[in-house]
Structures are given as structure tokens and as C-alpha cells.
Amino acid sequence: MEMPEGLISIIVPVYNAGLYIEETVAMVRNQTYENWELILVDDCSKDDGREKIERILSAGDGRIRLIAKPVNEGAARARNTGIEAAKGRYIAFLDADDIWLPDKLKRELSFMEKKQAAFVFTAYEFGDENAKGTGKIVHVPDTLTYKKALSRTVIFSSTVLFDTEKTGREIIKMPEVKSEDTATWWKVLRNGFTAYGLDEVLVIYRRPAKSLSSNKLEAIRRIWNLYRKQERLSFVHSCCNLFFWAVRATRRRL
């Protein structure tokens, strides 16, 4: 498939995102980098999100596409559907409730070209339920290898950009497991790629204030299962990585 030069395909899984979807589309339209296509993959939403998307499409912006899935299959398959439909050389993921600053695509693509990288990601700030920054910023390292990535979940899905001319598309498709995004980053890195971090806050992670202990325990269970079942690490290796992961995750939220 011939890919338009410099085109970034932005893939957004949409499920009951009616509260945010108009803001999401407007935010992408306000990007200072304008050579993009926006692929909205509706995963059988039960709210008014799809109707809002159809009204947006009626305005005639050909850069925006809707893929309406016939059955609900989850975020991983929704993103994979978007990857298969993407026309761009570059692929970015965006969750419908997160915020991109206007220079996000321009700054990140420039950084990718400067580093001649296949995989880049940026710093981000935690936001409240209204996506207002809380001042809690996740800074990112200059580079991240597979070994280093196992003990930290510093890559956030709405910050990544891939050059599929270098990675191919199959490798960035997400497995159907819990924490599929982390599993994907590890898969890419395990295959010899290095991720380059741009330590600029270009994304706000909308995070409602409900950090219950059960959520933290679920996060631990997910990361442990990734170590043991997805990466097939030994028990001891998994314990070591989990310890450092927990320490960094705690620091990040303080």
C-alpha cells in the first residue's frame, strides 16, 4: 500500500464517549500539524457518541472517518481495526477522553525525524475529570529499551507515535489481554526497537479522582500476568520487576 508522505493516522477507539467526542475531534482539528487523518472506531457505543460523530461527518471534512463495528470487541480490537484501515505512514493512538496540546503532532514528528526513530512517546500531565492539569507530571527518559521498560510503565498510549515504514504494522497490533497497550510497547521493544522519549508535556491524561485500593490491586494483577503469561518471565525475574514497577508507580502518583 502506497502511503502519503507525512500523513499521520490518528486512531481513536470510541465506546460510550459521547461526553467527550466533539471535544476530541475539535482538538485534533486544532493541531498545528494538519496532514492527518482521524479514524474513529465505534465499538457499538450505547450512548449518543455515534450520532455526534455522524453529525461531525456531515460537515464534510474528508480527513475524518468513522468505522462502526457490528459487535463490541474491546479497545484492542478497535485499535487494530484502525491500524488495518490507516492510510498514513505514521500512526498515533488517542483515547477519546484525553487531551492533546495543539503542537503535539508537530513537535513529536519533528522529534521522531531528528532521532530517526521508529517509536517515540512524550511526557504527560495528570488531569482531573475536566481534563484540567493537576500539576502531577510524568517525565520520560531519553530512551527506553525492553529491559528498562519491564520495570516501569512510563509510556502512555495517547503519547505514542510509530513510523510504520520502520516497524511494520503487525508488530503494533494489540493483543487481547488486560493492559494491552503496555503489552504492545513491550512487544515492539522486545523485537529490537528503542523508544525515544520527548520530555515535553504534550498530553493531559484525564483521570477522575477515584483511586481505590481495588484499582491498585487490579493494576498489580495485570502487570504480574503480563510478566508471567505474556512475557514468560521467571518467578524471580517477575518479582524483581514488579518491585521496581511498584516503587516507580507510587512515586509517579505522589
Side-chain angles (χ1 to χ4, degrees), residues 126-150:
F126 286 110
D128 61 16
E129 59 272 12
N130 298 312
K132 181 180 179 181
T134 62
K136 294 180 181 179
I137 294 173
V138 177
H139 291 283
V140 298
D142 293 338
T143 60
L144 196 61
T145 61
Y146 174 65
K147 183 178 179 181
K148 290 180 179 178
L150 288 173

Side-chain angles (χ1 to χ4, degrees), residues 51-78:
E51 288 75 15
K52 287 182 176 179
I53 293 171
E54 289 172 344
R55 284 201 296 271
I56 291 168
L57 293 176
S58 68
D61 189 337
R63 297 175 298 175
I64 303 171
R65 287 192 278 158
L66 168 65
I67 298 176
K69 295 183 73 68
V71 294
N72 177 272
E73 296 181 309
R77 283 202 179 184

Side-chain angles (χ1 to χ4, degrees), residues 96-111:
D97 55 348
D98 294 327
I99 300 296
W100 280 357
L101 273 62
D103 278 344
K104 193 268 187 185
L105 292 179
K106 183 178 181 179
R107 294 286 302 131
E108 193 168 29
L109 182 57
S110 176
F111 176 74

Side-chain angles (χ1 to χ4, degrees), residues 176-191:
E176 292 180 60
V177 297
K178 291 183 177 180
S179 296
E180 71 280 354
D181 48 356
T182 297
T184 302
W185 320 148
W186 288 356
K187 177 177 62 168
V188 174
L189 298 175
R190 184 179 357 105
N191 277 272

Side-chain angles (χ1 to χ4, degrees), residues 195-212:
Y196 287 78
L198 173 59
D199 196 25
E200 295 181 18
V201 175
L202 297 172
V203 176
I204 296 177
Y205 172 22
R206 191 192 305 260
R207 192 164 169 266
K210 32 183 174 176
S211 298
L212 301 178

Side-chain angles (χ1 to χ4, degrees), residues 5-145:
E5 186 64 29
L7 180 65
I8 300 177
S9 296
I10 304 161
I11 297 169
V12 181
V14 179
Y15 182 71
N16 293 347
L19 186 62
Y20 308 113
I21 198 63
E22 291 170 319
E23 181 183 8
T24 303
V25 174
M27 179 181 64
V28 172
R29 280 177 164 158
N30 286 333
Q31 286 292 300
T32 55
Y33 187 86
E34 298 181 345
N35 190 13
W36 50 260
E37 64 167 353
L38 179 60
I39 304 173
L40 302 166
V41 185
D42 182 69
D43 199 25
C44 289
S45 295
K46 297 178 182 179
D47 65 357
D48 61 350
R50 181 169 170 180
E51 288 75 15
K52 287 182 176 179
I53 293 171
E54 289 172 344
R55 284 201 296 271
I56 291 168
L57 293 176
S58 68
D61 189 337
R63 297 175 298 175
I64 303 171
R65 287 192 278 158
L66 168 65
I67 298 176
K69 295 183 73 68
V71 294
N72 177 272
E73 296 181 309
R77 283 202 179 184
R79 291 192 183 102
N80 293 345
T81 296
I83 290 170
E84 290 169 359
K87 298 176 181 177
R89 168 178 173 174
Y90 304 99
I91 287 181
F93 295 118
L94 172 61
D95 289 343
D97 55 348
D98 294 327
I99 300 296
W100 280 357
L101 273 62
D103 278 344
K104 193 268 187 185
L105 292 179
K106 183 178 181 179
R107 294 286 302 131
E108 193 168 29
L109 182 57
S110 176
F111 176 74
M112 172 175 269
E113 292 172 342
K114 178 181 177 181
K115 295 294 184 180
Q116 298 184 322
F119 177 11
V120 298
F121 61 107
T122 78
Y124 61 93
E125 181 177 2
F126 286 110
D128 61 16
E129 59 272 12
N130 298 312
K132 181 180 179 181
T134 62
K136 294 180 181 179
I137 294 173
V138 177
H139 291 283
V140 298
D142 293 338
T143 60
L144 196 61
T145 61

